[in-house]
């Protein structure tokens, strides 16, 4: 019975990660393809091939990116940007989304510095990512603080702490390795790859 249970658990450990990855990739593909694909499908009907929606989306975004650097569209986008920044509720949402995308994809990337934070009053430590070093712009007394995002295990959520600069220790760890370690509750190490 123990041997059978061991083989069963080995099977679970082997197949579940594969099935989850296949499911996530399929769901992501279906979602991305469906964004534009459902509109294209109306026009080309049976000739539609899954994946055309993704290709059209990539080409469209690339063209918008290219056009956004040229005079006419750049002016229109600047006008839209100024308009969105003036409408009270829209301003908060628009600038937050813009900042998040800039930090993940733009020139000013966050999550590039991995730090070790000591939890006050304890000897416990937590891994985190410096997301902002310019807190004095938010509130002047925070000049000697940095914003550190501490992700939660098994979720894409977390808590942002404002930590004194001398209470963090910058680590020489790849951000991807640190995130993998945190999201797996410490069960995955860079050495496990």
């Amino acid at each position: 019975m123990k041997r059978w249970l061991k083989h069963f658990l080995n099977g679970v450990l082997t197949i579940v990660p594969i099935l989850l990855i296949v499911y996530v990739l399929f769901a992501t593909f279906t979602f991305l393809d469906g964004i534009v694909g459902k509109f294209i499908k109306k026009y080309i009907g049976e000739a539609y091939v899954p994946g055309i929606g993704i290709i059209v989306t990539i080409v469209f975004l690339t063209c918008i990116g290219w056009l956004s650097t040229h005079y006419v569209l750049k002016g229109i986008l600047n006008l839209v940007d100024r308009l969105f920044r003036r409408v009270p509720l829209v301003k908060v949402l628009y600038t937050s989304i813009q900042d998040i995308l800039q930090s993940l994809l733009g020139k000013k990337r966050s999550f590039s510095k991995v730090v070790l934070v000591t939890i006050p009053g304890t000897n416990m430590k937590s891994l985190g990512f410096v997301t902002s070093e310019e807190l004095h712009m938010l509130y002047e007394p925070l000049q000697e603080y940095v914003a550190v995002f501490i992700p939660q295990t098994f979720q894409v959520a977390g808590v942002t702490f404002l930590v004194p600069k001398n209470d963090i220790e910058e680590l020489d760890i790849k951000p991807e390795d640190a995130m993998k370690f945190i999201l797996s509750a410490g069960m995955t190490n860079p050495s496990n790859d």
Side-chain angles (χ1 to χ4, degrees), residues 35-171:
I35 292 173
V36 177
K38 61 184 172 188
F39 298 110
I40 296 171
K41 200 173 192 177
K42 287 180 186 176
Y43 295 104
I44 62 174
E46 294 297 318
Y48 181 80
V49 176
I52 291 177
I54 292 174
I55 293 168
V56 170
T57 302
I58 290 170
V59 170
F60 175 74
L61 291 175
T62 303
C63 289
I64 292 294
W66 178 77
L67 288 171
S68 71
T69 60
H70 291 75
Y71 183 70
V72 175
L73 190 57
K74 188 174 185 177
I76 293 169
L77 291 174
N78 284 337
L79 180 66
V80 170
D81 183 69
R82 285 196 308 270
L83 176 68
F84 282 176
R85 289 176 184 274
R86 289 191 178 158
V87 179
L89 182 60
V90 173
K91 175 185 177 180
V92 172
L93 293 171
Y94 176 70
T95 56
S96 296
I97 292 169
Q98 198 173 42
D99 289 346
I100 290 168
L101 288 175
Q102 280 294 329
S103 71
L104 295 174
L105 304 172
K107 294 175 186 172
K108 180 188 158 195
R109 292 198 174 185
S110 294
F111 296 103
S112 60
K113 282 188 184 177
V114 179
V115 295
L116 194 61
V117 177
T118 302
I119 298 170
T122 70
N123 290 329
M124 296 187 299
K125 301 188 182 292
S126 183
L127 285 178
F129 302 90
V130 175
T131 56
S132 176
E133 297 185 55
E134 300 169 0
L135 295 179
H136 64 280
M137 298 173 78
L138 177 65
Y139 182 58
E140 186 61 38
L142 294 175
Q143 174 123 11
E144 294 302 314
Y145 284 71
V146 293
V148 177
F149 177 72
I150 308 217
Q152 294 177 353
T153 301
F154 300 129
Q155 298 181 39
V156 184
V159 180
T160 301
F161 291 108
L162 306 181
V163 182
K165 291 178 183 177
N166 57 357
D167 284 351
I168 64 169
E169 178 184 345
E170 191 170 332
L171 302 176

